[in-house]
Amino acid sequence: MAIGIRTKLFLTLLATAVCVVVSMFAIMRWSLDRGFIRYVNQVEQERLESLAASLEDAYGAEGSWGFITENPRRWRQLVRQALPEEAREARRPEEGHGPRESREPPRPAPPLTPGWDSPSNSASFSSTGTGQNCLAMPTPRGLSS
């Protein structure tokens, strides 16, 4: 059975399109690896150098590493100082609002849906007598077995 000219032309164009897509993917991957990874490594290297300088100064002032092992807050403070100014500002909570004050109060429970509102259909905990607790779940009206 001979393959027609239309089929040959379609297969040729399909193979060309697949080769172009694979080549584009490979070039984009290479470019990303080359550029972005280099940038991330450079930023990380600068942060580590800043942290190393801070640790060197703190060790020179204290004379031992005890200031870090005895006070973990000091370590976090040194790491925070190694962050760029923009990152430190983004992580700082608003003035006068610590983590506890910024939490929202708990939301009220949603209203019960029809079919689940009778007291006999409420979920309850019960003991199985073996020391284990289980949750008895209600079934909607009309679905009880």
Side-chain angles (χ1 to χ4, degrees):
M1 178 172 164
I3 299 176
I5 187 77
R6 288 185 178 178
T7 307
K8 288 180 183 178
L9 183 60
F10 173 75
L11 291 175
T12 302
L13 290 175
L14 180 65
T16 303
V18 168
C19 288
V20 167
V21 168
V22 168
S23 298
M24 286 175 47
F25 175 77
I27 290 170
M28 287 174 52
R29 174 87 179 183
W30 173 75
S31 176
L32 181 70
D33 286 345
R34 189 165 178 249
F36 184 69
I37 302 296
R38 184 184 300 163
Y39 168 74
V40 169
N41 287 337
Q42 179 184 359
V43 169
E44 192 69 21
Q45 183 67 32
E46 290 171 3
R47 285 185 58 201
L48 288 174
E49 287 172 0
S50 174
L51 179 62
S54 297
L55 284 172
E56 183 179 340
D57 293 341
Y59 181 83
E62 298 289 331
S64 72
W65 294 113
F67 69 97
I68 291 178
T69 59
E70 295 167 2
N71 187 1
R73 286 185 181 178
R74 178 78 171 142
W75 168 252
R76 287 191 294 271
Q77 180 185 18
L78 289 171
V79 170
R80 216 174 296 119
Q81 287 174 352
L83 291 174
E85 186 65 34
E86 302 86 36
R88 278 186 266 161
E89 291 297 323
R91 295 176 58 121
R92 186 174 297 150
E94 295 178 22
E95 292 297 321
H97 291 87
R100 294 184 193 264
E101 291 132 311
S102 64
R103 291 186 189 150
E104 294 180 16
R107 295 181 182 170
L112 296 174
T113 57
W116 293 81
D117 56 353
S118 68
S120 64
N121 279 340
S122 61
S124 61
F125 284 100
S126 63
S127 177
T128 60
T130 60
Q132 297 177 346
N133 293 329
C134 64
L135 177 63
M137 293 300 296
T139 57
R141 290 185 206 146
L143 292 180
S144 58
S145 51

mmCIF file of all heavy atoms in Angstrom, residues 32-48:
data_model
loop_
_atom_site.group_PDB
_atom_site.id
_atom_site.type_symbol
_atom_site.label_atom_id
_atom_site.label_comp_id
_atom_site.label_asym_id
_atom_site.label_seq_id
_atom_site.Cartn_x
_atom_site.Cartn_y
_atom_site.Cartn_z
ATOM 1 N N LEU A 32 17.299 29.169 31.040
ATOM 2 C CA LEU A 32 16.871 29.282 32.427
ATOM 3 C C LEU A 32 17.965 28.788 33.369
ATOM 4 O O LEU A 32 18.286 29.449 34.352
ATOM 5 C CB LEU A 32 15.581 28.488 32.649
ATOM 6 C CG LEU A 32 15.016 28.546 34.055
ATOM 7 C CD1 LEU A 32 14.472 29.940 34.333
ATOM 8 C CD2 LEU A 32 13.943 27.516 34.239
ATOM 9 N N ASP A 33 18.508 27.640 33.063
ATOM 10 C CA ASP A 33 19.587 27.107 33.902
ATOM 11 C C ASP A 33 20.766 28.059 33.954
ATOM 12 O O ASP A 33 21.348 28.288 35.012
ATOM 13 C CB ASP A 33 20.049 25.740 33.387
ATOM 14 C CG ASP A 33 19.052 24.635 33.683
ATOM 15 O OD1 ASP A 33 18.149 24.860 34.516
ATOM 16 O OD2 ASP A 33 19.162 23.555 33.079
ATOM 17 N N ARG A 34 21.096 28.613 32.839
ATOM 18 C CA ARG A 34 22.269 29.469 32.751
ATOM 19 C C ARG A 34 22.066 30.811 33.444
ATOM 20 O O ARG A 34 22.932 31.285 34.168
ATOM 21 C CB ARG A 34 22.598 29.696 31.280
ATOM 22 C CG ARG A 34 23.903 30.379 31.052
ATOM 23 C CD ARG A 34 24.300 30.232 29.598
ATOM 24 N NE ARG A 34 25.541 30.930 29.375
ATOM 25 C CZ ARG A 34 25.655 32.036 28.661
ATOM 26 N NH1 ARG A 34 24.593 32.554 28.101
ATOM 27 N NH2 ARG A 34 26.810 32.608 28.503
ATOM 28 N N GLY A 35 20.897 31.424 33.259
ATOM 29 C CA GLY A 35 20.663 32.759 33.783
ATOM 30 C C GLY A 35 20.081 32.796 35.178
ATOM 31 O O GLY A 35 20.655 33.393 36.077
ATOM 32 N N PHE A 36 18.958 32.139 35.378
ATOM 33 C CA PHE A 36 18.255 32.236 36.652
ATOM 34 C C PHE A 36 19.016 31.546 37.772
ATOM 35 O O PHE A 36 19.145 32.089 38.869
ATOM 36 C CB PHE A 36 16.851 31.652 36.512
ATOM 37 C CG PHE A 36 16.033 31.811 37.753
ATOM 38 C CD1 PHE A 36 15.612 33.068 38.163
ATOM 39 C CD2 PHE A 36 15.699 30.716 38.522
ATOM 40 C CE1 PHE A 36 14.862 33.223 39.312
ATOM 41 C CE2 PHE A 36 14.954 30.865 39.668
ATOM 42 C CZ PHE A 36 14.527 32.118 40.062
ATOM 43 N N ILE A 37 19.516 30.377 37.513
ATOM 44 C CA ILE A 37 20.259 29.647 38.546
ATOM 45 C C ILE A 37 21.511 30.430 38.939
ATOM 46 O O ILE A 37 21.862 30.506 40.118
ATOM 47 C CB ILE A 37 20.624 28.221 38.066
ATOM 48 C CG1 ILE A 37 19.370 27.437 37.701
ATOM 49 C CG2 ILE A 37 21.456 27.488 39.095
ATOM 50 C CD1 ILE A 37 18.426 27.175 38.852
ATOM 51 N N ARG A 38 22.157 31.048 37.964
ATOM 52 C CA ARG A 38 23.326 31.871 38.263
ATOM 53 C C ARG A 38 22.937 33.044 39.158
ATOM 54 O O ARG A 38 23.634 33.365 40.119
ATOM 55 C CB ARG A 38 23.961 32.381 36.977
ATOM 56 C CG ARG A 38 25.235 33.174 37.220
ATOM 57 C CD ARG A 38 25.801 33.746 35.944
ATOM 58 N NE ARG A 38 26.125 32.670 35.013
ATOM 59 C CZ ARG A 38 26.327 32.867 33.717
ATOM 60 N NH1 ARG A 38 26.238 34.076 33.201
ATOM 61 N NH2 ARG A 38 26.618 31.866 32.927
ATOM 62 N N TYR A 39 21.793 33.676 38.857
ATOM 63 C CA TYR A 39 21.314 34.802 39.660
ATOM 64 C C TYR A 39 20.998 34.352 41.094
ATOM 65 O O TYR A 39 21.399 35.005 42.055
ATOM 66 C CB TYR A 39 20.068 35.405 39.011
ATOM 67 C CG TYR A 39 19.336 36.369 39.906
ATOM 68 C CD1 TYR A 39 19.838 37.643 40.147
ATOM 69 C CD2 TYR A 39 18.166 35.989 40.541
ATOM 70 C CE1 TYR A 39 19.176 38.523 40.986
ATOM 71 C CE2 TYR A 39 17.490 36.863 41.383
ATOM 72 C CZ TYR A 39 18.006 38.121 41.596
ATOM 73 O OH TYR A 39 17.341 38.981 42.439
ATOM 74 N N VAL A 40 20.289 33.248 41.242
ATOM 75 C CA VAL A 40 19.933 32.753 42.574
ATOM 76 C C VAL A 40 21.200 32.424 43.366
ATOM 77 O O VAL A 40 21.305 32.774 44.551
ATOM 78 C CB VAL A 40 19.010 31.523 42.466
ATOM 79 C CG1 VAL A 40 18.849 30.827 43.799
ATOM 80 C CG2 VAL A 40 17.660 31.934 41.919
ATOM 81 N N ASN A 41 22.149 31.791 42.725
ATOM 82 C CA ASN A 41 23.403 31.460 43.408
ATOM 83 C C ASN A 41 24.158 32.718 43.825
ATOM 84 O O ASN A 41 24.737 32.770 44.915
ATOM 85 C CB ASN A 41 24.289 30.588 42.524
ATOM 86 C CG ASN A 41 23.765 29.172 42.415
ATOM 87 O OD1 ASN A 41 23.019 28.697 43.270
ATOM 88 N ND2 ASN A 41 24.135 28.495 41.348
ATOM 89 N N GLN A 42 24.143 33.741 42.995
ATOM 90 C CA GLN A 42 24.833 34.987 43.322
ATOM 91 C C GLN A 42 24.180 35.672 44.527
ATOM 92 O O GLN A 42 24.870 36.130 45.440
ATOM 93 C CB GLN A 42 24.818 35.925 42.118
ATOM 94 C CG GLN A 42 25.480 37.254 42.366
ATOM 95 C CD GLN A 42 25.358 38.181 41.161
ATOM 96 O OE1 GLN A 42 24.795 37.814 40.130
ATOM 97 N NE2 GLN A 42 25.885 39.382 41.315
ATOM 98 N N VAL A 43 22.851 35.730 44.540
ATOM 99 C CA VAL A 43 22.142 36.355 45.666
ATOM 100 C C VAL A 43 22.396 35.567 46.943
ATOM 101 O O VAL A 43 22.661 36.145 48.007
ATOM 102 C CB VAL A 43 20.629 36.452 45.355
ATOM 103 C CG1 VAL A 43 19.840 36.828 46.591
ATOM 104 C CG2 VAL A 43 20.385 37.449 44.238
ATOM 105 N N GLU A 44 22.346 34.253 46.850
ATOM 106 C CA GLU A 44 22.590 33.411 48.031
ATOM 107 C C GLU A 44 24.028 33.581 48.530
ATOM 108 O O GLU A 44 24.265 33.628 49.738
ATOM 109 C CB GLU A 44 22.309 31.946 47.684
ATOM 110 C CG GLU A 44 22.253 31.036 48.868
ATOM 111 C CD GLU A 44 21.039 31.294 49.759
ATOM 112 O OE1 GLU A 44 20.056 31.871 49.301
ATOM 113 O OE2 GLU A 44 21.113 30.908 50.934
ATOM 114 N N GLN A 45 24.973 33.684 47.621
ATOM 115 C CA GLN A 45 26.369 33.888 48.011
ATOM 116 C C GLN A 45 26.542 35.215 48.748
ATOM 117 O O GLN A 45 27.247 35.285 49.761
ATOM 118 C CB GLN A 45 27.271 33.846 46.768
ATOM 119 C CG GLN A 45 28.743 33.970 47.074
ATOM 120 C CD GLN A 45 29.283 32.774 47.834
ATOM 121 O OE1 GLN A 45 28.826 31.659 47.659
ATOM 122 N NE2 GLN A 45 30.255 33.013 48.694
ATOM 123 N N GLU A 46 25.880 36.262 48.265
ATOM 124 C CA GLU A 46 25.967 37.558 48.940
ATOM 125 C C GLU A 46 25.375 37.494 50.341
ATOM 126 O O GLU A 46 25.930 38.057 51.288
ATOM 127 C CB GLU A 46 25.252 38.626 48.108
ATOM 128 C CG GLU A 46 25.959 38.980 46.821
ATOM 129 C CD GLU A 46 25.127 39.866 45.913
ATOM 130 O OE1 GLU A 46 24.003 40.249 46.315
ATOM 131 O OE2 GLU A 46 25.591 40.165 44.810
ATOM 132 N N ARG A 47 24.245 36.801 50.487
ATOM 133 C CA ARG A 47 23.627 36.651 51.810
ATOM 134 C C ARG A 47 24.540 35.876 52.746
ATOM 135 O O ARG A 47 24.675 36.219 53.920
ATOM 136 C CB ARG A 47 22.287 35.926 51.693
ATOM 137 C CG ARG A 47 21.189 36.788 51.148
ATOM 138 C CD ARG A 47 19.862 36.088 51.162
ATOM 139 N NE ARG A 47 19.501 35.679 52.502
ATOM 140 C CZ ARG A 47 18.625 34.731 52.790
ATOM 141 N NH1 ARG A 47 18.024 34.089 51.820
ATOM 142 N NH2 ARG A 47 18.343 34.425 54.031
ATOM 143 N N LEU A 48 25.154 34.811 52.239
ATOM 144 C CA LEU A 48 26.045 34.014 53.088
ATOM 145 C C LEU A 48 27.284 34.800 53.495
ATOM 146 O O LEU A 48 27.760 34.671 54.627
ATOM 147 C CB LEU A 48 26.435 32.716 52.378
ATOM 148 C CG LEU A 48 25.320 31.675 52.262
ATOM 149 C CD1 LEU A 48 25.783 30.496 51.413
ATOM 150 C CD2 LEU A 48 24.872 31.198 53.633
#
